[in-house]
Amino acid sequence: RRANKDPKICVVDRHGWMIEWEKRFAELNIELLRSPAVANPDVANGDWALVEYARKNGRMDELEEWDRSPSFRSLQGASEGLLHIPSNALFLDFCRHLVGTLPHQLVRAHAEAVTVRPDDGAYVVHACQDGLTRRIAARRVVLAIGASGPPVVPSPLRPLATAAQDARRVIHAGE
């Protein structure tokens, strides 16, 4: 039995696990992820979890090889799908599967900061909800920060975008 009350796997998301991500991908009609299959949120089962999910469900065709060069193919795991790019549909179904199978706790909050405890090196996620901050200790932290940096607007469109933003007719996906 665990001595403290920190969950083994904790998901901090103010909207629910990947709700915002799902909404943005649908709005932008994104069919393939940029990150390879190894970059998946299954911290309990490791790097191969998404590839194994695709294999078990007959969906290996939704893992696309993004580099066909001999040097890429020689990388460990490349030919088996570990470095292939998953479809949005496969990744979303995999995440839904995780929600139903992983022993986790969902904290509906906004992660304000991540620090490291000096005594044992554990990460501490500072999660804010309704003005209160909760500190959650973890051995591993997965950050899904979305788009970073300010919106990029092509220079010819900047005057139009600024005027439209002032009228709240144009809103960046990050807003």
Side-chain angles (χ1 to χ4, degrees), residues 40-83:
N40 72 74
D42 189 345
V43 296
N45 296 306
D47 296 345
W48 289 93
L50 178 54
V51 175
E52 286 304 314
Y53 175 82
R55 187 172 286 125
K56 285 179 185 175
N57 289 282
R59 296 176 69 178
M60 288 296 288
D61 60 327
E62 292 184 58
L63 291 169
E64 294 201 15
E65 190 174 29
W66 60 274
D67 187 339
R68 289 178 168 69
S69 69
S71 60
F72 173 78
R73 289 182 174 185
S74 69
L75 294 174
Q76 184 177 1
S79 62
E80 292 86 15
L82 190 61
L83 301 178

mmCIF file of all heavy atoms in Angstrom, residues 40-83:
data_model
loop_
_atom_site.group_PDB
_atom_site.id
_atom_site.type_symbol
_atom_site.label_atom_id
_atom_site.label_comp_id
_atom_site.label_asym_id
_atom_site.label_seq_id
_atom_site.Cartn_x
_atom_site.Cartn_y
_atom_site.Cartn_z
ATOM 1 N N ASN A 40 4.250 8.707 -26.693
ATOM 2 C CA ASN A 40 2.862 8.457 -26.342
ATOM 3 C C ASN A 40 2.673 8.620 -24.842
ATOM 4 O O ASN A 40 3.636 8.544 -24.082
ATOM 5 C CB ASN A 40 2.433 7.067 -26.830
ATOM 6 C CG ASN A 40 3.055 5.957 -26.028
ATOM 7 O OD1 ASN A 40 2.660 5.701 -24.892
ATOM 8 N ND2 ASN A 40 4.033 5.269 -26.599
ATOM 9 N N PRO A 41 1.441 8.852 -24.394
ATOM 10 C CA PRO A 41 1.210 9.156 -22.980
ATOM 11 C C PRO A 41 1.096 7.939 -22.055
ATOM 12 O O PRO A 41 0.780 8.094 -20.879
ATOM 13 C CB PRO A 41 -0.105 9.936 -23.005
ATOM 14 C CG PRO A 41 -0.824 9.387 -24.178
ATOM 15 C CD PRO A 41 0.250 9.088 -25.195
ATOM 16 N N ASP A 42 1.383 6.743 -22.550
ATOM 17 C CA ASP A 42 1.269 5.558 -21.695
ATOM 18 C C ASP A 42 2.551 5.370 -20.883
ATOM 19 O O ASP A 42 3.439 4.609 -21.261
ATOM 20 C CB ASP A 42 0.973 4.315 -22.535
ATOM 21 C CG ASP A 42 0.625 3.109 -21.687
ATOM 22 O OD1 ASP A 42 0.886 3.140 -20.470
ATOM 23 O OD2 ASP A 42 0.094 2.140 -22.241
ATOM 24 N N VAL A 43 2.625 6.053 -19.757
ATOM 25 C CA VAL A 43 3.828 5.989 -18.917
ATOM 26 C C VAL A 43 3.936 4.649 -18.199
ATOM 27 O O VAL A 43 5.004 4.277 -17.735
ATOM 28 C CB VAL A 43 3.875 7.146 -17.890
ATOM 29 C CG1 VAL A 43 3.985 8.479 -18.598
ATOM 30 C CG2 VAL A 43 2.668 7.117 -16.970
ATOM 31 N N ALA A 44 2.859 3.894 -18.126
ATOM 32 C CA ALA A 44 2.892 2.614 -17.421
ATOM 33 C C ALA A 44 3.475 1.497 -18.289
ATOM 34 O O ALA A 44 4.144 0.613 -17.778
ATOM 35 C CB ALA A 44 1.482 2.235 -16.962
ATOM 36 N N ASN A 45 3.244 1.548 -19.591
ATOM 37 C CA ASN A 45 3.647 0.450 -20.464
ATOM 38 C C ASN A 45 4.782 0.780 -21.416
ATOM 39 O O ASN A 45 5.218 -0.075 -22.172
ATOM 40 C CB ASN A 45 2.429 -0.065 -21.239
ATOM 41 C CG ASN A 45 1.403 -0.643 -20.287
ATOM 42 O OD1 ASN A 45 1.718 -1.505 -19.489
ATOM 43 N ND2 ASN A 45 0.187 -0.129 -20.345
ATOM 44 N N GLY A 46 5.237 2.015 -21.445
ATOM 45 C CA GLY A 46 6.448 2.361 -22.172
ATOM 46 C C GLY A 46 6.293 2.721 -23.631
ATOM 47 O O GLY A 46 5.204 2.899 -24.158
ATOM 48 N N ASP A 47 7.470 2.798 -24.268
ATOM 49 C CA ASP A 47 7.599 3.307 -25.629
ATOM 50 C C ASP A 47 6.769 2.552 -26.668
ATOM 51 O O ASP A 47 6.267 3.137 -27.614
ATOM 52 C CB ASP A 47 9.068 3.267 -26.064
ATOM 53 C CG ASP A 47 9.959 4.170 -25.233
ATOM 54 O OD1 ASP A 47 9.420 5.040 -24.506
ATOM 55 O OD2 ASP A 47 11.186 4.019 -25.310
ATOM 56 N N TRP A 48 6.629 1.248 -26.511
ATOM 57 C CA TRP A 48 5.993 0.424 -27.524
ATOM 58 C C TRP A 48 4.473 0.352 -27.389
ATOM 59 O O TRP A 48 3.798 -0.314 -28.179
ATOM 60 C CB TRP A 48 6.567 -0.995 -27.467
ATOM 61 C CG TRP A 48 7.971 -1.047 -27.960
ATOM 62 C CD1 TRP A 48 9.107 -0.946 -27.199
ATOM 63 C CD2 TRP A 48 8.403 -1.157 -29.308
ATOM 64 N NE1 TRP A 48 10.211 -1.011 -28.000
ATOM 65 C CE2 TRP A 48 9.821 -1.136 -29.302
ATOM 66 C CE3 TRP A 48 7.742 -1.271 -30.522
ATOM 67 C CZ2 TRP A 48 10.563 -1.236 -30.464
ATOM 68 C CZ3 TRP A 48 8.497 -1.368 -31.682
ATOM 69 C CH2 TRP A 48 9.892 -1.352 -31.645
ATOM 70 N N ALA A 49 3.891 1.010 -26.414
ATOM 71 C CA ALA A 49 2.466 0.863 -26.119
ATOM 72 C C ALA A 49 1.569 1.207 -27.313
ATOM 73 O O ALA A 49 0.621 0.474 -27.607
ATOM 74 C CB ALA A 49 2.083 1.714 -24.911
ATOM 75 N N LEU A 50 1.836 2.296 -28.005
ATOM 76 C CA LEU A 50 0.999 2.688 -29.144
ATOM 77 C C LEU A 50 1.158 1.709 -30.303
ATOM 78 O O LEU A 50 0.174 1.329 -30.951
ATOM 79 C CB LEU A 50 1.325 4.114 -29.591
ATOM 80 C CG LEU A 50 0.575 4.655 -30.805
ATOM 81 C CD1 LEU A 50 -0.934 4.550 -30.631
ATOM 82 C CD2 LEU A 50 0.970 6.101 -31.063
ATOM 83 N N VAL A 51 2.381 1.257 -30.558
ATOM 84 C CA VAL A 51 2.612 0.285 -31.629
ATOM 85 C C VAL A 51 1.891 -1.028 -31.305
ATOM 86 O O VAL A 51 1.248 -1.623 -32.174
ATOM 87 C CB VAL A 51 4.124 0.045 -31.839
ATOM 88 C CG1 VAL A 51 4.365 -1.064 -32.866
ATOM 89 C CG2 VAL A 51 4.816 1.331 -32.270
ATOM 90 N N GLU A 52 1.972 -1.475 -30.065
ATOM 91 C CA GLU A 52 1.288 -2.703 -29.656
ATOM 92 C C GLU A 52 -0.233 -2.555 -29.776
ATOM 93 O O GLU A 52 -0.914 -3.485 -30.198
ATOM 94 C CB GLU A 52 1.677 -3.102 -28.233
ATOM 95 C CG GLU A 52 3.067 -3.667 -28.142
ATOM 96 C CD GLU A 52 3.286 -4.867 -29.063
ATOM 97 O OE1 GLU A 52 2.414 -5.769 -29.089
ATOM 98 O OE2 GLU A 52 4.305 -4.887 -29.769
ATOM 99 N N TYR A 53 -0.749 -1.384 -29.414
ATOM 100 C CA TYR A 53 -2.186 -1.129 -29.557
ATOM 101 C C TYR A 53 -2.583 -1.234 -31.032
ATOM 102 O O TYR A 53 -3.597 -1.862 -31.374
ATOM 103 C CB TYR A 53 -2.539 0.250 -28.998
ATOM 104 C CG TYR A 53 -3.980 0.640 -29.206
ATOM 105 C CD1 TYR A 53 -4.976 0.188 -28.337
ATOM 106 C CD2 TYR A 53 -4.357 1.444 -30.277
ATOM 107 C CE1 TYR A 53 -6.307 0.531 -28.538
ATOM 108 C CE2 TYR A 53 -5.684 1.791 -30.484
ATOM 109 C CZ TYR A 53 -6.647 1.333 -29.614
ATOM 110 O OH TYR A 53 -7.959 1.674 -29.821
ATOM 111 N N ALA A 54 -1.794 -0.612 -31.913
ATOM 112 C CA ALA A 54 -2.087 -0.660 -33.352
ATOM 113 C C ALA A 54 -2.020 -2.103 -33.857
ATOM 114 O O ALA A 54 -2.887 -2.543 -34.615
ATOM 115 C CB ALA A 54 -1.100 0.217 -34.117
ATOM 116 N N ARG A 55 -1.012 -2.855 -33.418
ATOM 117 C CA ARG A 55 -0.860 -4.245 -33.849
ATOM 118 C C ARG A 55 -2.045 -5.094 -33.388
ATOM 119 O O ARG A 55 -2.637 -5.827 -34.176
ATOM 120 C CB ARG A 55 0.457 -4.804 -33.302
ATOM 121 C CG ARG A 55 0.797 -6.184 -33.839
ATOM 122 C CD ARG A 55 2.189 -6.643 -33.429
ATOM 123 N NE ARG A 55 3.173 -5.897 -34.218
ATOM 124 C CZ ARG A 55 4.176 -5.181 -33.688
ATOM 125 N NH1 ARG A 55 4.348 -5.141 -32.393
ATOM 126 N NH2 ARG A 55 5.018 -4.533 -34.460
ATOM 127 N N LYS A 56 -2.419 -4.972 -32.123
ATOM 128 C CA LYS A 56 -3.517 -5.777 -31.572
ATOM 129 C C LYS A 56 -4.857 -5.459 -32.227
ATOM 130 O O LYS A 56 -5.752 -6.296 -32.269
ATOM 131 C CB LYS A 56 -3.638 -5.554 -30.065
ATOM 132 C CG LYS A 56 -2.567 -6.235 -29.269
ATOM 133 C CD LYS A 56 -2.732 -5.940 -27.796
ATOM 134 C CE LYS A 56 -1.591 -6.532 -27.002
ATOM 135 N NZ LYS A 56 -1.658 -6.162 -25.582
ATOM 136 N N ASN A 57 -4.997 -4.239 -32.731
ATOM 137 C CA ASN A 57 -6.269 -3.811 -33.310
ATOM 138 C C ASN A 57 -6.251 -3.776 -34.839
ATOM 139 O O ASN A 57 -7.144 -3.192 -35.451
ATOM 140 C CB ASN A 57 -6.654 -2.442 -32.743
ATOM 141 C CG ASN A 57 -7.054 -2.543 -31.287
ATOM 142 O OD1 ASN A 57 -8.160 -2.955 -30.973
ATOM 143 N ND2 ASN A 57 -6.135 -2.216 -30.388
ATOM 144 N N GLY A 58 -5.226 -4.359 -35.439
ATOM 145 C CA GLY A 58 -5.142 -4.421 -36.900
ATOM 146 C C GLY A 58 -5.033 -3.062 -37.563
ATOM 147 O O GLY A 58 -5.588 -2.851 -38.639
ATOM 148 N N ARG A 59 -4.309 -2.145 -36.925
ATOM 149 C CA ARG A 59 -4.232 -0.773 -37.450
ATOM 150 C C ARG A 59 -2.797 -0.328 -37.726
ATOM 151 O O ARG A 59 -2.495 0.860 -37.702
ATOM 152 C CB ARG A 59 -4.910 0.178 -36.462
ATOM 153 C CG ARG A 59 -6.405 -0.133 -36.321
ATOM 154 C CD ARG A 59 -7.078 0.717 -35.299
ATOM 155 N NE ARG A 59 -7.179 2.102 -35.717
ATOM 156 C CZ ARG A 59 -7.769 3.058 -35.003
ATOM 157 N NH1 ARG A 59 -8.333 2.766 -33.845
ATOM 158 N NH2 ARG A 59 -7.810 4.291 -35.436
ATOM 159 N N MET A 60 -1.911 -1.270 -38.008
ATOM 160 C CA MET A 60 -0.519 -0.925 -38.290
ATOM 161 C C MET A 60 -0.395 -0.027 -39.524
ATOM 162 O O MET A 60 0.559 0.735 -39.649
ATOM 163 C CB MET A 60 0.335 -2.183 -38.461
ATOM 164 C CG MET A 60 0.593 -2.939 -37.170
ATOM 165 S SD MET A 60 1.555 -1.979 -35.960
ATOM 166 C CE MET A 60 3.176 -1.991 -36.729
ATOM 167 N N ASP A 61 -1.385 -0.095 -40.420
ATOM 168 C CA ASP A 61 -1.361 0.756 -41.607
ATOM 169 C C ASP A 61 -1.561 2.235 -41.266
ATOM 170 O O ASP A 61 -1.352 3.106 -42.108
ATOM 171 C CB ASP A 61 -2.419 0.307 -42.618
ATOM 172 C CG ASP A 61 -3.839 0.372 -42.066
ATOM 173 O OD1 ASP A 61 -4.026 0.139 -40.848
ATOM 174 O OD2 ASP A 61 -4.757 0.660 -42.857
ATOM 175 N N GLU A 62 -1.942 2.545 -40.014
ATOM 176 C CA GLU A 62 -2.107 3.932 -39.591
ATOM 177 C C GLU A 62 -0.839 4.498 -38.947
ATOM 178 O O GLU A 62 -0.844 5.606 -38.423
ATOM 179 C CB GLU A 62 -3.283 4.051 -38.626
ATOM 180 C CG GLU A 62 -4.617 3.776 -39.309
ATOM 181 C CD GLU A 62 -5.772 3.992 -38.373
ATOM 182 O OE1 GLU A 62 -5.917 5.110 -37.827
ATOM 183 O OE2 GLU A 62 -6.541 3.022 -38.169
ATOM 184 N N LEU A 63 0.241 3.728 -38.995
ATOM 185 C CA LEU A 63 1.555 4.215 -38.563
ATOM 186 C C LEU A 63 2.372 4.425 -39.835
ATOM 187 O O LEU A 63 2.758 3.466 -40.501
ATOM 188 C CB LEU A 63 2.244 3.199 -37.642
ATOM 189 C CG LEU A 63 1.606 3.023 -36.279
ATOM 190 C CD1 LEU A 63 2.203 1.817 -35.569
ATOM 191 C CD2 LEU A 63 1.801 4.277 -35.435
ATOM 192 N N GLU A 64 2.608 5.682 -40.188
ATOM 193 C CA GLU A 64 3.263 5.985 -41.459
ATOM 194 C C GLU A 64 4.753 6.226 -41.276
ATOM 195 O O GLU A 64 5.181 6.937 -40.362
ATOM 196 C CB GLU A 64 2.620 7.212 -42.103
ATOM 197 C CG GLU A 64 1.196 6.940 -42.512
ATOM 198 C CD GLU A 64 0.704 7.891 -43.576
ATOM 199 O OE1 GLU A 64 1.518 8.586 -44.208
ATOM 200 O OE2 GLU A 64 -0.515 7.931 -43.764
ATOM 201 N N GLU A 65 5.529 5.647 -42.191
ATOM 202 C CA GLU A 65 6.972 5.837 -42.198
ATOM 203 C C GLU A 65 7.253 7.225 -42.772
ATOM 204 O O GLU A 65 6.830 7.541 -43.874
ATOM 205 C CB GLU A 65 7.607 4.753 -43.066
ATOM 206 C CG GLU A 65 9.092 4.686 -42.970
ATOM 207 C CD GLU A 65 9.636 3.491 -43.737
ATOM 208 O OE1 GLU A 65 9.009 3.062 -44.729
ATOM 209 O OE2 GLU A 65 10.697 3.011 -43.342
ATOM 210 N N TRP A 66 7.915 8.056 -42.009
ATOM 211 C CA TRP A 66 8.143 9.424 -42.480
ATOM 212 C C TRP A 66 9.505 9.597 -43.131
ATOM 213 O O TRP A 66 9.788 10.615 -43.740
ATOM 214 C CB TRP A 66 7.975 10.430 -41.347
ATOM 215 C CG TRP A 66 8.912 10.230 -40.189
ATOM 216 C CD1 TRP A 66 8.726 9.399 -39.126
ATOM 217 C CD2 TRP A 66 10.166 10.868 -39.977
ATOM 218 N NE1 TRP A 66 9.785 9.464 -38.274
ATOM 219 C CE2 TRP A 66 10.688 10.372 -38.762
ATOM 220 C CE3 TRP A 66 10.906 11.807 -40.689
ATOM 221 C CZ2 TRP A 66 11.918 10.778 -38.253
ATOM 222 C CZ3 TRP A 66 12.124 12.215 -40.175
ATOM 223 C CH2 TRP A 66 12.613 11.704 -38.971
ATOM 224 N N ASP A 67 10.371 8.619 -43.028
ATOM 225 C CA ASP A 67 11.704 8.708 -43.619
ATOM 226 C C ASP A 67 12.064 7.321 -44.136
ATOM 227 O O ASP A 67 12.121 6.373 -43.379
ATOM 228 C CB ASP A 67 12.703 9.170 -42.558
ATOM 229 C CG ASP A 67 14.084 9.450 -43.124
ATOM 230 O OD1 ASP A 67 14.406 8.938 -44.219
ATOM 231 O OD2 ASP A 67 14.849 10.168 -42.473
ATOM 232 N N ARG A 68 12.297 7.223 -45.426
ATOM 233 C CA ARG A 68 12.596 5.922 -46.013
ATOM 234 C C ARG A 68 14.092 5.730 -46.265
ATOM 235 O O ARG A 68 14.489 4.789 -46.930
ATOM 236 C CB ARG A 68 11.808 5.746 -47.301
ATOM 237 C CG ARG A 68 10.320 5.558 -47.066
ATOM 238 C CD ARG A 68 9.555 5.433 -48.370
ATOM 239 N NE ARG A 68 8.195 4.975 -48.207
ATOM 240 C CZ ARG A 68 7.214 5.662 -47.655
ATOM 241 N NH1 ARG A 68 7.437 6.848 -47.173
ATOM 242 N NH2 ARG A 68 5.999 5.165 -47.574
ATOM 243 N N SER A 69 14.926 6.596 -45.744
ATOM 244 C CA SER A 69 16.363 6.491 -45.976
ATOM 245 C C SER A 69 16.948 5.290 -45.231
ATOM 246 O O SER A 69 16.442 4.895 -44.176
ATOM 247 C CB SER A 69 17.072 7.770 -45.524
ATOM 248 O OG SER A 69 17.029 7.879 -44.116
ATOM 249 N N PRO A 70 18.020 4.696 -45.763
ATOM 250 C CA PRO A 70 18.660 3.555 -45.085
ATOM 251 C C PRO A 70 19.151 3.911 -43.676
ATOM 252 O O PRO A 70 19.067 3.087 -42.767
ATOM 253 C CB PRO A 70 19.833 3.203 -46.001
ATOM 254 C CG PRO A 70 19.446 3.739 -47.333
ATOM 255 C CD PRO A 70 18.613 4.973 -47.060
ATOM 256 N N SER A 71 19.613 5.143 -43.479
ATOM 257 C CA SER A 71 20.111 5.514 -42.152
ATOM 258 C C SER A 71 18.961 5.550 -41.137
ATOM 259 O O SER A 71 19.123 5.144 -39.995
ATOM 260 C CB SER A 71 20.837 6.857 -42.187
ATOM 261 O OG SER A 71 19.965 7.874 -42.629
ATOM 262 N N PHE A 72 17.787 5.999 -41.556
ATOM 263 C CA PHE A 72 16.630 6.008 -40.662
ATOM 264 C C PHE A 72 16.177 4.579 -40.364
ATOM 265 O O PHE A 72 15.919 4.212 -39.231
ATOM 266 C CB PHE A 72 15.469 6.795 -41.269
ATOM 267 C CG PHE A 72 14.200 6.701 -40.462
ATOM 268 C CD1 PHE A 72 14.033 7.454 -39.323
ATOM 269 C CD2 PHE A 72 13.185 5.826 -40.836
ATOM 270 C CE1 PHE A 72 12.872 7.351 -38.565
ATOM 271 C CE2 PHE A 72 12.027 5.717 -40.087
ATOM 272 C CZ PHE A 72 11.880 6.490 -38.949
ATOM 273 N N ARG A 73 16.088 3.772 -41.418
ATOM 274 C CA ARG A 73 15.614 2.403 -41.245
ATOM 275 C C ARG A 73 16.539 1.561 -40.370
ATOM 276 O O ARG A 73 16.115 0.559 -39.806
ATOM 277 C CB ARG A 73 15.409 1.738 -42.598
ATOM 278 C CG ARG A 73 14.214 2.314 -43.315
ATOM 279 C CD ARG A 73 13.970 1.636 -44.620
ATOM 280 N NE ARG A 73 12.723 2.138 -45.200
ATOM 281 C CZ ARG A 73 12.206 1.665 -46.302
ATOM 282 N NH1 ARG A 73 12.781 0.669 -46.925
ATOM 283 N NH2 ARG A 73 11.091 2.166 -46.773
ATOM 284 N N SER A 74 17.786 1.983 -40.250
ATOM 285 C CA SER A 74 18.726 1.227 -39.419
ATOM 286 C C SER A 74 18.595 1.569 -37.933
ATOM 287 O O SER A 74 19.162 0.881 -37.087
ATOM 288 C CB SER A 74 20.166 1.494 -39.879
ATOM 289 O OG SER A 74 20.533 2.833 -39.580
ATOM 290 N N LEU A 75 17.843 2.611 -37.599
ATOM 291 C CA LEU A 75 17.659 2.975 -36.192
ATOM 292 C C LEU A 75 16.859 1.895 -35.472
ATOM 293 O O LEU A 75 15.942 1.302 -36.037
ATOM 294 C CB LEU A 75 16.925 4.316 -36.080
ATOM 295 C CG LEU A 75 17.664 5.539 -36.585
ATOM 296 C CD1 LEU A 75 16.752 6.764 -36.535
ATOM 297 C CD2 LEU A 75 18.919 5.789 -35.770
ATOM 298 N N GLN A 76 17.218 1.653 -34.225
ATOM 299 C CA GLN A 76 16.528 0.633 -33.437
ATOM 300 C C GLN A 76 15.039 0.958 -33.317
ATOM 301 O O GLN A 76 14.661 2.034 -32.902
ATOM 302 C CB GLN A 76 17.144 0.540 -32.054
ATOM 303 C CG GLN A 76 16.556 -0.566 -31.211
ATOM 304 C CD GLN A 76 17.230 -0.688 -29.861
ATOM 305 O OE1 GLN A 76 18.129 0.065 -29.536
ATOM 306 N NE2 GLN A 76 16.783 -1.629 -29.069
ATOM 307 N N GLY A 77 14.193 0.025 -33.698
ATOM 308 C CA GLY A 77 12.750 0.192 -33.590
ATOM 309 C C GLY A 77 12.090 0.834 -34.794
ATOM 310 O O GLY A 77 10.869 0.821 -34.900
ATOM 311 N N ALA A 78 12.872 1.394 -35.717
ATOM 312 C CA ALA A 78 12.281 2.112 -36.853
ATOM 313 C C ALA A 78 11.457 1.187 -37.743
ATOM 314 O O ALA A 78 10.331 1.522 -38.118
ATOM 315 C CB ALA A 78 13.358 2.805 -37.674
ATOM 316 N N SER A 79 11.987 0.021 -38.078
ATOM 317 C CA SER A 79 11.270 -0.862 -38.994
ATOM 318 C C SER A 79 10.037 -1.497 -38.350
ATOM 319 O O SER A 79 9.136 -1.947 -39.044
ATOM 320 C CB SER A 79 12.207 -1.956 -39.524
ATOM 321 O OG SER A 79 12.667 -2.753 -38.453
ATOM 322 N N GLU A 80 9.987 -1.529 -37.015
ATOM 323 C CA GLU A 80 8.838 -2.119 -36.328
ATOM 324 C C GLU A 80 7.734 -1.104 -36.030
ATOM 325 O O GLU A 80 6.732 -1.436 -35.426
ATOM 326 C CB GLU A 80 9.279 -2.773 -35.013
ATOM 327 C CG GLU A 80 10.154 -3.997 -35.208
ATOM 328 C CD GLU A 80 11.623 -3.632 -35.350
ATOM 329 O OE1 GLU A 80 11.999 -2.490 -35.012
ATOM 330 O OE2 GLU A 80 12.395 -4.475 -35.824
ATOM 331 N N GLY A 81 7.929 0.151 -36.377
ATOM 332 C CA GLY A 81 6.887 1.154 -36.197
ATOM 333 C C GLY A 81 7.108 2.136 -35.070
ATOM 334 O O GLY A 81 6.373 3.102 -34.935
ATOM 335 N N LEU A 82 8.119 1.924 -34.247
ATOM 336 C CA LEU A 82 8.335 2.792 -33.092
ATOM 337 C C LEU A 82 8.535 4.254 -33.486
ATOM 338 O O LEU A 82 8.095 5.162 -32.796
ATOM 339 C CB LEU A 82 9.537 2.298 -32.280
ATOM 340 C CG LEU A 82 9.763 2.941 -30.926
ATOM 341 C CD1 LEU A 82 8.580 2.704 -30.004
ATOM 342 C CD2 LEU A 82 11.033 2.417 -30.289
ATOM 343 N N LEU A 83 9.186 4.481 -34.632
ATOM 344 C CA LEU A 83 9.449 5.850 -35.067
ATOM 345 C C LEU A 83 8.514 6.292 -36.187
ATOM 346 O O LEU A 83 8.716 7.340 -36.789
ATOM 347 C CB LEU A 83 10.912 5.987 -35.502
ATOM 348 C CG LEU A 83 11.932 5.656 -34.412
ATOM 349 C CD1 LEU A 83 13.340 5.758 -34.945
ATOM 350 C CD2 LEU A 83 11.750 6.566 -33.210
#
